[in-house]
Amino acid sequence: MSSPPSKRIKIEAEPEQTSTDGVNNQATPVTTWGEKSVGISEYVNASIPGFSAIIKQRYSDFLVNEIDLEGKVLHLNDFSLPTSTPLEPPKEEVPLLSLEESISNLSDILGDANAPQEIQKLLETKGTEPPFVLIDVIDDKEKRTEIHRFFRNAFDRKLITEASEGRIKVRYVAEGIDKRDKKFQRKRNDWNISEGDFCRFILHKENKDTMEAVNMLSKIMKMSSKIFSYAGTKDKRGVTVQWVTGYHVKAERLAGLNKRLRGMQLGNFGYCKEKLDLGDLKGNHFSIVLRDVVVESEEIIDKAVTTIKDQGFINYFGMQRFGSSGAPTHTIGKALLLGQWEQAVNLILMPREGEKGDIAEARKEWAQNQDAKKALEIFPRKCVAETHVLSTFAKSGQNRDFLGAIKMIPRNLRMMYVHAYQSYVWNHMVSQRIQRFGCDKPVVGDLVVVNDSELKEIEEIDADENMEDEVSRTVSVKVLSADDLSQYTIYDVVLPMPGFDVQYPEHEIGIKYHELMTQDGLDPKDMRRNVKEFSLPGSYRKFMSKPENVTWKTMRYTDPEATLSQSDLDVLAGVPEPTGEPDGERLALRVSFSLNSSQYATMALREILKTETTGSFHLALSQKNSQAVQ
C-alpha cells in the first residue's frame, strides 16, 4: 500500500563538524556534525533504498527492556512485596584473641611463614607503611571464610579484611572502627533478612537516564547512591526497564516510594545475596516507533527490515558515543592522548552553536574574559566536566594547572573521552574494511576471537568505570589463513580498538590503522602514556551484528501526538495496544528486536532508513515536517 501524497519536506544530512584544531580557538562556536565525520559511512545492503522517518519524536516511542543473563526479557508486572525469612539470632560472640595469640596463629591460618612479619609491620606503622597487606588465597570458599573470621576476632579488631581481585586485602583501622562503614552501621545492625543483603527490584523509568533515576531515589531516601547498582545504563530519551539492587534496603520502603515518584515506578521485588555489576546482562529488547514515514511503498519497508533480520547491520559505535553538540568527545580524547591538556580544556569549555540560556552565557563569559569564578557561577551544576574544571581554576587563580583540572573531572567522564577516540578510529577502520573487502564473508588476514567468553569479559571491563587500568584484558585472537575461512562467518570477525595489548589485522586494514592515527600524531602500537589512566591496552569488537526476535508492522495515525506504543505500565493499567487508524493521514513503523549489550539500536535503524541518526537531524526533520503540514 502506498503512502498518501505528502507536502512534507525531505532534508539533507547535516554539514560535518567544523575544525576544532588549534589551542587558541576557544571563542569559535562549534557546530554539530554528521555521521561520516566519525567513520559511519557504509551499509550492509546499499541497494535497498531508504526512506524518511523520525526517530524518538516522543520519548515513549523508544521502549527498552533489559535482557538478563538467563535471556529473559524483563517486564514490570508485579508490585507485591516478597516474603522473607528472619535471620537466626546471633551466636555467642567468640572471645577476642590476644595480640600474642593472634601473631602466633598467623602462620598456621595463612600457611605463610612471612605473614607474621608483614602483619606486625602493618600494626606497628598503623597502616602507613605498608598501607595494606595482600594475602593470596586458593579457590576455597571455606578457607577464605576461616581467614575472614580469624581477623574479626584478632588484633583488637584493628585489622579488617576485604576481597580484592581474588585475594584478601588486610587494612589497618584506627580504634578498631572502619570509618568508611560508619554510615552503613545502623543499617547492618537492623538487617534481619536471611535471603541476602540486597533487595533486587525492577526500575521502570521515563525520560531519565539511569544515574539520574538512582540519584533521585537516593535523595528521597536520604541515602548514598553507592548502595544501588545496576547491570547497564539506559538512555534518557525513552521508556526503559531494568534490574537494580540496593544494599540493605527493604522492599517495603522502596514500594512506599511509588506514590511519590514521577516518571519512575519500582516493582518485582525480591532479595538476593549478590549485587548487580555492570555487564550482568545479556542485552536489551527494543520496541521503537518511527513516525512520519515517507516512502514510495511499504514493500520497501519490508525489504529494509528484512535486511537487518537476515543479514544484520554494521556494529558501529553510534553517535551517542561522540556527544550531541560542541567539540566531539573523540577530539577531546585525542588531545588527552597527545598530552595537550590546555587544548583539551579549551575544547570542553568552548562555545557551542545552538546552545542557549545559562550554558551559552557561561561559555561566552569564559571565552571573552577567562574569569573562572564568574563562569562557574553561571554554569548549571549538570555541566559536570565544565564545573569541575572551572572550580579548580577558581581556586588556583592565574596559576592554571590544566592537567590538574582535568583530573578533577570524574574518572568515568575522563575515560569516556579517550574511549571515544578509540571508537572513532574503530568506526573508520570498519568502513575501510567494508570498502575493501565487503561485509559478507571473512578474508585472509582478518581476526577472530578464539574464546567468545573472553570477549564478553572485555566488554564488561570496558563498561565498568571503576575497573583499574591494570586489569588484564588479554584476549586470544587468531589471524585467518585460507584454510580457516570455511570455519568462520562474517559475524565472527573482530577489529581491534587501538591499544598496546592488541593484535592488528594482517592485511591492508592493519596499515590503515597506522595511517589514520599517524595523521593525529599517535602510534596504534604505542598507546602507553605518562598519565597511567590514559594508557590504553585496547580490546576487540565484532564489526557485524545480527539482531534477534525481529518483528515489525506499519500503522496509520493522524494526531502527531498519538500514542503508538504500549509500555509495561500501560499493560498493568489495562490500556490496549495501539492499533492506529485505518484512514490516518500519517504512516508509522513499529519495529522490535533484541541486541546484545554494547550494541546500538540506532545503528540498526540507520540500516533500515539509510539516513542520519543524529538527534539534531531528526529534530530538524520533525520541525520541517510540522511546518510543511500546517
Side-chain angles (χ1 to χ4, degrees):
M1 181 170 61
S2 300
S3 297
S6 173
K7 296 180 180 178
R8 300 182 184 90
I9 302 170
K10 275 193 166 184
I11 63 175
E12 298 300 319
E14 300 167 279
E16 293 192 3
Q17 164 77 14
T18 57
S19 174
T20 56
D21 292 336
V23 173
N24 297 314
N25 65 347
Q26 66 267 26
T28 305
V30 181
T31 65
T32 54
W33 59 91
E35 291 176 342
K36 288 186 178 180
S37 63
V38 293
I40 303 172
S41 62
E42 305 305 308
Y43 295 100
V44 172
N45 194 338
S47 64
I48 296 178
F51 52 91
S52 174
I54 302 172
I55 301 174
K56 292 188 180 182
Q57 180 171 320
R58 303 182 69 202
Y59 69 80
S60 58
D61 291 342
F62 205 82
L63 307 184
V64 186
N65 292 71
E66 192 169 88
I67 303 173
D68 66 19
L69 290 174
E70 286 71 47
K72 179 182 177 182
V73 179
L74 303 186
H75 289 282
L76 177 65
N77 53 24
D78 185 3
F79 290 111
S80 64
L81 295 174
T83 57
S84 60
T85 306
L87 286 168
E88 294 181 5
K91 297 179 180 178
E92 184 176 347
E93 189 172 343
V94 179
L96 291 177
L97 298 173
S98 68
L99 183 61
E100 292 75 15
E101 290 175 315
S102 301
I103 293 293
S104 64
N105 291 341
L106 264 176
S107 296
D108 293 336
I109 295 293
L110 302 181
D112 183 351
N114 296 321
Q117 291 87 346
E118 295 177 2
I119 296 296
Q120 182 107 34
K121 188 174 181 181
L122 186 66
L123 283 165
E124 291 173 352
T125 64
K126 296 184 178 181
T128 57
E129 183 61 40
F132 56 83
V133 172
L134 287 174
I135 300 171
D136 291 320
V137 182
I138 60 174
D139 189 17
D140 185 334
K141 185 176 180 180
E142 291 184 3
K143 181 65 175 177
R144 292 197 304 271
T145 301
E146 180 186 2
I147 292 173
H148 286 299
R149 186 182 299 119
F150 171 77
F151 276 93
R152 277 200 300 271
N153 297 287
F155 309 107
D156 294 329
R157 291 181 175 162
K158 291 183 178 181
L159 298 181
I160 66 168
T161 57
E162 56 191 30
S164 177
E165 297 181 4
R167 295 184 286 181
I168 291 178
K169 179 187 286 187
V170 184
R171 292 193 297 110
Y172 180 89
V173 291
E175 300 176 357
I177 299 174
D178 186 1
K179 293 181 179 179
R180 299 189 311 183
D181 292 341
K182 273 186 174 180
K183 59 186 175 183
F184 296 128
Q185 196 64 46
R186 180 183 60 80
K187 299 176 187 65
R188 285 199 186 94
N189 294 339
D190 292 344
W191 193 255
N192 65 344
I193 294 175
S194 64
E195 281 77 13
D197 287 325
F198 300 90
C199 180
R200 189 174 75 159
F201 61 95
I202 281 182
L203 166 65
H204 182 291
K205 63 179 183 63
E206 301 175 354
N207 210 28
K208 294 177 178 61
D209 63 38
T210 303
M211 187 174 295
E212 179 185 358
V214 166
N215 286 339
M216 187 177 297
L217 286 178
S218 305
K219 185 176 181 180
I220 294 173
M221 300 174 73
K222 297 181 179 179
M223 304 175 76
S224 169
S225 62
K226 293 182 180 179
I227 68 170
F228 294 108
S229 56
Y230 38 85
T233 56
K234 303 291 184 283
D235 287 345
K236 175 178 181 176
R237 192 158 179 81
V239 178
T240 69
V241 176
Q242 65 185 119
W243 279 127
V244 177
T245 51
Y247 177 73
H248 281 198
V249 180
K250 297 284 183 70
E252 291 86 347
R253 188 174 182 193
L254 291 166
L257 298 178
N258 278 331
K259 294 180 180 179
R260 300 172 58 187
L261 295 175
R262 296 291 178 268
M264 292 193 293
Q265 287 288 280
L266 316 176
N268 293 70
F269 303 103
Y271 293 104
C272 58
K273 298 184 183 298
E274 302 291 337
K275 74 180 182 71
L276 284 169
D277 287 319
L278 287 171
D280 286 347
L281 76 166
K282 183 178 179 182
N284 296 287
H285 183 75
F286 299 86
S287 183
I288 301 168
V289 173
L290 305 176
R291 293 179 184 254
D292 272 316
V293 173
V294 179
V295 65
E296 290 183 4
S297 72
E298 292 189 21
E299 183 182 359
I300 292 175
I301 295 176
D302 293 338
K303 289 182 178 179
V305 183
T306 300
T307 294
I308 71 162
K309 179 181 179 181
D310 295 343
Q311 297 177 259
F313 63 94
I314 304 168
N315 196 27
Y316 286 122
F317 287 97
M319 295 301 291
Q320 305 97 304
R321 189 81 163 184
F322 307 100
S324 57
S325 64
T329 51
H330 73 274
T331 64
I332 300 172
K334 181 177 76 172
L336 295 176
L337 292 171
L338 291 170
Q340 297 173 347
W341 316 124
E342 185 175 358
Q343 167 73 338
V345 167
N346 287 337
L347 290 171
I348 290 170
L349 296 176
M350 69 195 314
R352 304 179 181 187
E353 187 176 274
E355 278 189 336
K356 299 177 182 179
D358 289 346
I359 298 178
E361 184 182 348
R363 293 191 192 282
K364 182 179 179 181
E365 171 63 36
W366 172 253
Q368 293 181 348
N369 303 314
Q370 302 283 293
D371 188 330
K373 291 184 179 179
K374 184 68 177 295
L376 184 60
E377 291 174 359
I378 304 171
F379 260 118
R381 296 297 97 181
K382 67 180 180 180
C383 298
V384 176
E386 292 86 346
T387 54
H388 278 75
V389 166
L390 289 173
S391 178
T392 305
F393 288 165
K395 294 175 183 177
S396 62
Q398 295 301 314
N399 298 320
R400 290 176 182 153
D401 177 4
F402 290 96
L403 175 57
I406 288 168
K407 287 185 174 181
M408 294 305 296
I409 299 172
R411 186 179 187 276
N412 64 317
L413 185 51
R414 297 197 304 269
M415 298 310 296
M416 180 194 73
Y417 295 135
V418 291
H419 290 159
Y421 179 77
Q422 288 179 300
S423 304
Y424 161 83
V425 172
W426 192 89
N427 277 359
H428 277 283
M429 293 303 99
V430 168
S431 294
Q432 293 275 0
R433 164 63 175 77
I434 294 172
Q435 290 168 14
R436 176 64 182 86
F437 300 112
C439 58
D440 57 342
K441 59 184 179 180
V443 298
V444 173
D446 274 338
L447 303 176
V448 296
V449 173
V450 175
N451 185 344
D452 258 5
S453 64
E454 291 180 338
L455 187 61
K456 175 65 175 174
E457 290 173 5
I458 286 293
E459 290 171 349
E460 292 175 10
I461 290 173
D462 286 339
D464 190 342
E465 65 201 42
N466 297 312
M467 280 289 198
E468 296 297 329
D469 294 328
E470 59 266 24
V471 172
S472 174
R473 294 171 178 240
T474 302
V475 171
S476 302
V477 295
K478 179 177 184 177
V479 181
L480 296 185
S481 66
D483 294 336
D484 298 321
L485 297 183
S486 62
Q487 303 174 42
Y488 297 95
T489 72
I490 195 65
Y491 307 103
D492 298 313
V493 177
V494 297
L495 283 170
M497 304 279 282
F500 59 76
D501 197 24
V502 296
Q503 186 168 351
Y504 292 90
E506 292 189 4
H507 46 50
E508 65 185 75
I509 304 307
I511 299 172
K512 293 294 183 182
Y513 274 91
H514 181 77
E515 291 177 356
L516 175 63
M517 294 181 65
T518 298
Q519 293 174 5
D520 290 336
L522 296 166
D523 182 345
K525 296 183 179 180
D526 182 17
M527 299 298 287
R528 297 186 187 273
R529 293 294 177 269
N530 292 332
V531 178
K532 186 177 180 181
E533 68 179 22
F534 296 144
S535 292
L536 300 177
S539 58
Y540 299 92
R541 179 178 172 90
K542 292 183 178 181
F543 86 86
M544 286 291 294
S545 173
K546 186 185 290 187
E548 298 178 351
N549 307 313
V550 181
T551 62
W552 68 97
K553 66 178 294 186
T554 57
M555 64 178 72
R556 293 200 169 275
Y557 67 106
T558 299
D559 182 358
E561 300 299 317
T563 299
L564 302 177
S565 59
Q566 185 187 42
S567 70
D568 286 358
L569 292 183
D570 292 332
V571 174
L572 284 168
V575 177
E577 182 176 357
T579 57
E581 308 168 34
D583 300 321
E585 297 176 1
R586 301 167 183 262
L587 181 65
L589 167 65
R590 189 164 66 202
V591 58
S592 300
F593 49 80
S594 299
L595 296 179
N596 291 333
S597 57
S598 81
Q599 296 176 345
Y600 290 78
T602 51
M603 293 298 98
L605 298 179
R606 176 182 175 273
E607 180 67 39
I608 295 172
L609 297 176
K610 306 293 195 299
T611 63
E612 286 264 343
T613 59
T614 51
S616 55
F617 176 88
H618 286 272
L619 177 61
L621 182 59
S622 179
Q623 291 171 343
K624 289 201 173 188
N625 283 354
S626 296
Q627 294 168 3
V629 297
Q630 287 177 357

